[in-house]
């Protein structure tokens, strides 16, 4: 049996049914086979994979990631401030670069640091060097989902040596596409984030709503608390990936309430949205031109960056740009997603109390809603 075949057999038998993946030259055959054989998302950045897998898990999937070890560096904050916080299960299969056979100098340091990072973060990991070591995956994979933990499988280049595995059904021919220009003018902001949320609260009812960290969560909690609200308690830039994972793995209508600062931190997730195109996803980007939660410091959208055009450029075709709450509310009822709603607002925060929910309560309640 080939190492790739053995790994695929194990993950199938252990009922992994969803992958977030970004390729490495050393695991490219496994990568192709995963795309061909599993429900999977080709990631733009590994960090979003942590969010997408979290959303998929809440919707009932058994997700895993397949990446290069350097991608762990892109995931550290999301793993700590989201996966650990909410106890989201996540097995991470990573090619382990930087070994003696390595020809790319840039791989050396991450190769050395990855085990140290995993140890520092209390993430158990396995060093997979040969066919027998792959048994460790079989022995431990179920426990990841049973105990809701993170676990790493570091696959050294030596593990693939001599393999004649050939994946089937892989096509990789680019078909470039030019999008039309987007030319809806930027409206004058009328409302603050809180005033907007108050006016659109009815349109949020009964939908899965993932909300950006900080004051937006508190305002949503005050205005429209419901069991299907996923409140991000940390992990800036991860709310839209979480919503994407939910939308891909459930039939429920999913709304991401994101912010301009957070969208600027992780805009490439818009490319992943365009690529996966879930009809049941709307991203409501509340653009107040500021990092509201930290005191309204100006973001790049205050003078330079146009997020509707950014979304368009990343390939999201359906875009609504407005300052009018009625237009936002009716856009939220559309079912021709993915939809990007660029809601232009005034900066400012309402004086609202803290959430009293625990991460566990938030997660359980949203899971129940998504899986019912
Ligand atoms: C990685 C990281 N950097 C910085 C912060 C601090 N922080 C928390 S919320 C926030 C502002 C978010 O701004 P935006 O997404 O525009 O939402 P708004 O609060 O304006 O609605 C910042 C900078 C953080 N939590 N994580």
């Amino acid at each position: 049996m080939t190492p790739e075949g053995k790994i695929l057999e194990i993950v199938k038998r252990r009922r992994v049914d969803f992958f977030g993946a970004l390729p490495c030259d050393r695991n490219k055959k496994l990568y192709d086979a995963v795309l061909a054989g599993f429900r999977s998302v080709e990631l733009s950045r590994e960090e979003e994979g942590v969010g997408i897998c979290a959303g998929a898990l809440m919707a009932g999937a058994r997700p895993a990631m397949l990446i290069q070890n350097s991608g762990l560096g892109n995931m550290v904050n999301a793993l700590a401030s989201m996966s650990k916080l909410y106890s989201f299960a996540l097995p991470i299969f990573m090619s382990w670069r930087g070994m003696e056979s390595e020809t790319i100098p840039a791989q050396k340091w991450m190769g050395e640091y990855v085990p140290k990072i995993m140890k520092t973060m209390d993430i158990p990991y396995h060093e997979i060097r040969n066919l027998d070591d792959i048994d460790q995956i079989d022995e431990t994979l179920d426990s990841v989902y049973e105990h809701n933990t993170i676990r790493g499988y570091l696959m050294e280049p030596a593990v693939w040596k001599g393999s004649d595995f050939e994946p089937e059904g892989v096509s990789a021919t680019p078909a470039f596409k030019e999008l039309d220009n987007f030319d809806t003018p930027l409206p004058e902001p009328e409302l603050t984030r809180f005033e907007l949320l108050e006016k659109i609260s009815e349109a949020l009812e009964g939908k899965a709503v993932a909300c950006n960290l900080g004051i937006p969560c508190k305002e949503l909690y005050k205005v429209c608390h419901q069991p299907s609200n996923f409140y991000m308690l940390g992990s800036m830039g991860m709310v839209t990936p979480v919503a994407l994972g939910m939308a891909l793995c459930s039939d429920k209508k999913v709304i991401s309430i994101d912010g301009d600062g957070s969208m600027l931190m992780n805009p490439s997730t818009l490319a992943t949205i365009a690529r996966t195109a879930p009809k049941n996803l709307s991203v409501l980007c509340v653009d107040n031109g500021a990092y509201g939660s930290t005191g309204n410091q100006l973001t790049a959208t205050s003078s330079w960056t146009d997020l509707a055009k950014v979304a368009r450029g990343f390939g999201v075709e359906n875009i609504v740009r407005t300052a009018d709450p009625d237009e936002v509310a009716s856009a939220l009822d559309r079912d021709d997603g993915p939809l990007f709603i660029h809601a232009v607002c005034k900066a400012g925060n309402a004086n609202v109390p803290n959430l009293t929910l625990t991460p566990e309560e938030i997660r359980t309640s949203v899971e129940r809603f998504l899986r019912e």
Side-chain angles (χ1 to χ4, degrees):
M1 192 176 226
T2 61
E4 290 90 346
K6 187 167 174 179
I7 293 172
L8 291 164
E9 188 279 317
I10 291 169
V11 293
K12 278 206 176 119
R13 183 160 41 74
R14 298 288 172 192
R15 293 179 292 115
V16 173
D17 60 4
F18 184 95
F19 268 91
L22 207 148
C24 171
D25 177 56
R26 297 301 152 92
N27 62 19
K28 60 187 171 204
K29 292 189 175 170
L30 184 62
Y31 177 88
D32 285 346
V34 158
L35 293 194
F38 291 82
R39 190 162 47 148
S40 45
V41 173
E42 291 155 275
L43 302 169
S44 309
R45 178 179 162 87
E46 292 85 352
E47 186 185 27
E48 68 167 345
V50 181
I52 292 169
C53 285
L57 184 81
M58 284 191 280
R62 260 163 96 92
M65 287 185 69
L66 175 65
I67 59 169
Q68 179 180 99
N69 67 326
S70 52
L72 181 72
N74 289 348
M75 292 158 59
V76 165
N77 180 53
L79 290 174
S81 59
M82 186 177 57
S83 310
K84 288 241 176 189
L85 183 74
Y86 295 94
S87 303
F88 288 133
L90 188 61
I92 309 168
F93 295 88
M94 21 183 160
S95 65
W96 193 6
R97 305 295 299 262
M99 303 291 109
E100 300 87 72
S101 59
E102 182 64 61
T103 53
I104 299 179
Q107 297 286 359
K108 176 179 158 52
W109 296 109
M110 269 309 277
E112 197 175 313
Y113 292 147
V114 155
K116 296 180 189 174
I117 294 171
M118 308 280 268
K119 277 187 199 138
T120 304
M121 296 182 75
D122 296 322
I123 299 175
Y125 65 90
H126 303 264
E127 299 180 6
I128 312 286
R129 298 197 158 82
N130 52 46
L131 215 51
D132 287 344
D133 287 344
I134 293 174
D135 291 337
Q136 295 175 46
I137 301 174
D138 204 10
E139 287 153 15
T140 55
L141 197 50
D142 278 348
S143 76
V144 173
Y145 302 102
E146 273 157 29
H147 303 296
N148 285 309
T149 52
I150 309 166
R151 191 172 279 267
Y153 299 104
L154 285 173
M155 304 177 296
E156 263 207 34
V159 75
W160 317 121
K161 231 180 207 159
S163 170
D164 59 0
F165 178 82
E166 281 306 330
E168 280 166 25
V170 181
S171 100
T173 313
F176 296 107
K177 174 168 135 185
E178 199 166 325
L179 289 171
D180 300 339
N181 280 334
F182 173 80
D183 54 13
T184 310
L186 201 65
E188 275 299 310
E190 295 169 16
L191 308 172
T192 62
R193 182 198 322 102
F194 184 71
E195 290 162 347
L196 175 72
L197 289 175
E198 277 186 319
K199 291 198 185 296
I200 64 164
S201 68
E202 238 173 73
L204 299 174
E205 278 170 25
K207 294 167 181 137
V209 180
C211 184
N212 197 23
L213 82 171
I215 293 174
C217 272
K218 296 195 219 177
E219 292 184 351
L220 180 71
Y221 187 60
K222 169 90 181 157
V223 163
C224 175
H225 175 60
Q226 54 182 351
S228 56
N229 284 359
F230 184 74
Y231 299 99
M232 293 291 292
L233 300 176
S235 230
M236 187 170 168
M238 281 296 99
V239 67
T240 294
V242 170
L244 173 58
M246 290 179 182
L248 289 172
C249 294
S250 99
D251 294 331
K252 296 278 195 303
K253 177 84 203 249
V254 182
I255 295 164
S256 167
I257 301 182
D258 212 332
D260 48 302
S262 302
M263 186 52 80
L264 286 167
M265 187 169 278
N266 191 22
S268 57
T269 210
L270 292 166
T272 314
I273 288 174
R275 192 168 186 173
T276 50
K279 285 207 171 335
N280 54 340
L281 177 66
S282 297
V283 177
L284 168 57
C285 186
V286 179
D287 184 356
N288 54 13
Y291 297 108
S293 293
T294 48
N296 296 317
Q297 302 88 351
L298 295 184
T299 67
T301 68
S302 66
S303 295
W304 300 275
T305 305
D306 184 331
L307 284 174
K309 289 184 182 168
V310 168
R312 193 80 172 121
F314 271 116
V316 180
E317 298 202 19
N318 290 336
I319 295 179
V320 171
R321 187 221 287 283
T322 182
D324 177 350
D326 293 336
E327 282 181 19
V328 173
S330 63
L332 290 172
D333 281 332
R334 280 170 59 168
D335 51 14
D336 59 344
L339 179 66
F340 184 85
I341 306 166
H342 186 200
V344 183
C345 284
K346 291 181 183 162
N349 302 306
N351 188 9
V352 282
N354 285 336
L355 265 74
T356 51
L357 300 167
T358 64
E360 166 86 32
E361 286 168 337
I362 295 169
R363 176 190 162 159
T364 317
S365 165
V366 174
E367 268 179 5
R368 201 171 296 136
F369 173 81
L370 289 172
R371 295 177 189 189
E372 79 193 359

